[in-house]
Amino acid sequence: MTEPSSGRPGLRHRAIAELVGTAFLVMAVVGSGIAAQRLSPDDVGLQLLENALATGVALAALIIALQPASAAFNPVVTALERLTGALDVRHAVALVAAQILGGLVGVVVANLMFSEPAVSLSTTERGGPGHCLGEVVATAGLVLLITALSRTGRPQLIGWAVGAYITAGYWFTSSTSFANPAVTIARMFSDTFAGIAPASVPMFLLAQIAGGTIGYGLAWAIYRRPALIANAQEDPNELDAAEGRSSRR
C-alpha cells in the first residue's frame, strides 16, 4: 500500500532511516569503545575521550545525512513527537520498533567487526542514585536542545548541536550520557567498554523517560508561544514587543 504523497517520506522510508541511523549510531558507540580499550589499555580517561569524540561526530553526521527522511534515533524523542501530535500512533510505534531493531543490529555488527562474540551480556554495572540523576540530566538537556532548535526554526543545527552535546555529556554526566532507550538496550549485548549490565537497564530507562519529560517541560516554559517565536524570526525585536503586549492584557 502506497502512502499519499505529501512531500514527506512515507512510513516505510522513515522506518528504514531510523533503523539504519540507530544501527550506525550503536556501531559508533560500541565499536569506538572497543577500539579505545585496545588502543589505550592503561588509560581509562583517554578511552572515554576517544569513545566520546567518535560517538559525537558520528551522531552529528548521521543526523545531518538522514534528517530529510527521519533522524530521531531515540524512542524518547519519538514518543514526545507522538504526544505533541507530530506523529500518529502507527508511525510512532513503527519508528520506535525500527530504532530498537537498529540498535540490536548495530551492536551485533560492532561486536563482530572486532572479533568479539556476536552477543555477550555486559557485566558493567552502572547503578546508584548518581548514575540515575546523570541520565535524567543528560536526557533532559538533549530534549530541551532538540525542542528549542525545532521550535525556533533552526532544525538544520540539530545535527551539530546534538553531536556536540552528547560529546560533552560523556564528561559532565556521571552516566556518560546514554540519553537513549534504544541505545541503552543494545549496549546490554556487548561485554565491552561501552556495555551496561542488564540489571542497570531498567533504572536507566526510567531516568531517560523522566529526563525527557523534564526537558520538554523546560522547553514549553521557555517557548510556550510558538507563534511569537515565529514572529521574532522575521523581526528579532518583535518578540519583546509581543510579550509586552501580552503581559498588559
Side-chain angles (χ1 to χ4, degrees):
M1 180 177 176
T2 303
E3 296 193 7
S5 176
S6 61
R8 297 185 62 187
L11 177 56
R12 177 167 60 90
H13 300 284
R14 298 186 69 181
I16 293 172
E18 290 292 337
L19 189 153
V20 170
T22 310
F24 272 96
L25 172 58
V26 171
M27 284 184 234
V29 174
V30 175
S32 66
I34 297 171
Q37 203 167 31
R38 293 180 181 180
L39 293 170
S40 310
D42 301 319
D43 193 332
V44 178
L46 185 56
Q47 292 171 15
L48 185 62
L49 178 62
E50 292 161 348
N51 191 206
L53 290 175
T55 299
V57 172
L59 179 56
L62 289 167
I63 292 173
I64 292 167
L66 296 175
Q67 197 171 29
S70 187
F73 315 146
N74 190 329
V76 169
V77 175
T78 300
L80 287 172
E81 288 180 321
R82 168 66 196 115
L83 291 175
T84 57
L87 292 175
D88 61 26
V89 173
R90 184 171 69 96
H91 280 68
V93 170
L95 297 184
V96 169
Q99 291 158 358
I100 294 173
L101 178 59
L104 296 176
V105 170
V107 75
V108 169
V109 172
N111 286 335
L112 292 176
M113 281 196 294
F114 289 91
S115 300
E116 296 283 341
V119 173
S120 59
L121 288 180
S122 176
T123 56
T124 304
E125 296 288 342
R126 300 177 187 266
H131 281 156
C132 182
L133 179 58
E135 271 304 281
V136 171
V137 170
T139 312
L142 178 65
V143 169
L144 172 60
L145 181 70
I146 293 171
T147 307
L149 291 173
S150 297
R151 286 200 170 192
T152 56
R154 297 174 292 166
Q156 73 280 3
L157 298 179
I158 289 176
W160 296 116
V162 169
Y165 177 81
I166 292 299
T167 301
Y170 263 74
W171 290 90
F172 79 79
T173 67
S174 57
S175 64
T176 67
S177 193
F178 283 46
N180 186 325
V183 172
T184 303
I185 291 169
R187 288 168 69 166
M188 281 195 299
F189 300 104
S190 184
D191 191 17
T192 58
F193 181 77
I196 178 172
S200 301
V201 169
M203 183 196 73
F204 266 58
L205 298 182
L206 290 173
Q208 289 157 2
I209 292 169
T213 303
I214 292 169
Y216 184 76
L218 291 172
W220 185 89
I222 298 168
Y223 299 108
R224 64 187 180 279
R225 297 183 178 86
L228 297 183
I229 299 298
N231 292 337
Q233 290 170 9
E234 299 174 5
D235 181 351
N237 297 318
E238 277 297 308
L239 180 59
D240 291 336
E243 288 281 8
R245 289 195 297 271
S246 176
S247 64
R248 289 194 295 269
R249 288 174 185 170

